[in-house]
Amino acid sequence: MAQKIKKGDTVQVISGRDKGKRGEVIQVMPKEQKLIVRGVNIVKRHQRPTGQLRQGGIIEKEAPMYWSKVMLVCPSCDKPTRVGFKFLEDGTKVRFCKKCGEIIDKK
């Protein structure tokens, strides 16, 4: 199955405590159907000092969330939209915005 949301896309949260927030997708985990969005779903974790992280204490970081809770934001119309797929003349498969019809995957 082709992925509708990819790393680097801008998404908007449509449900949960962060509803309405927008952010960039940092990581996608297809097997778990989850993704990590920059600045969204922030949790606090108690961290012990290690070699890489010299400062211990309570740190804030983004937690994974289900990708059904977000919608892709179209770069051209700047609205959350559903994603469709179509083939171009040269045979490449691209994503397009269901609201305005513009192609999302620009090469």
Side-chain angles (χ1 to χ4, degrees):
M1 184 179 135
Q3 283 186 252
K4 296 186 177 190
I5 299 175
K6 296 180 180 179
K7 181 179 176 179
D9 287 340
T10 303
V11 294
Q12 183 171 339
V13 180
I14 57 173
S15 69
R17 69 171 187 220
D18 292 325
K19 182 177 180 177
K21 286 187 182 179
R22 288 186 181 192
E24 179 189 351
V25 176
I26 301 171
Q27 183 182 1
V28 179
M29 298 169 266
K31 287 190 177 181
E32 295 90 26
Q33 296 182 355
K34 291 185 177 185
L35 45 85
I36 298 176
V37 182
R38 187 180 316 279
V40 178
N41 199 20
I42 302 291
V43 294
K44 292 185 178 184
R45 291 286 178 253
H46 294 270
Q47 185 71 41
R48 177 173 286 146
T50 61
Q52 299 165 346
L53 185 72
R54 305 219 187 280
Q55 185 73 23
I58 301 172
I59 62 167
E60 293 183 347
K61 65 179 191 174
E62 294 95 357
M65 61 190 308
Y66 284 103
W67 62 27
S68 62
K69 292 183 172 281
V70 299
M71 284 185 85
L72 183 71
V73 176
C74 176
S76 58
C77 65
D78 199 43
K79 294 180 184 175
T81 181
R82 292 185 179 187
V83 179
F85 293 95
K86 64 181 173 183
F87 290 94
L88 298 177
E89 298 83 31
D90 59 352
T92 58
K93 187 176 183 180
V94 293
R95 301 178 294 166
F96 72 95
C97 172
K98 291 269 189 158
K99 286 192 178 180
C100 65
E102 285 291 318
I103 295 175
I104 296 170
D105 295 323
K106 304 261 194 233
K107 298 284 181 189

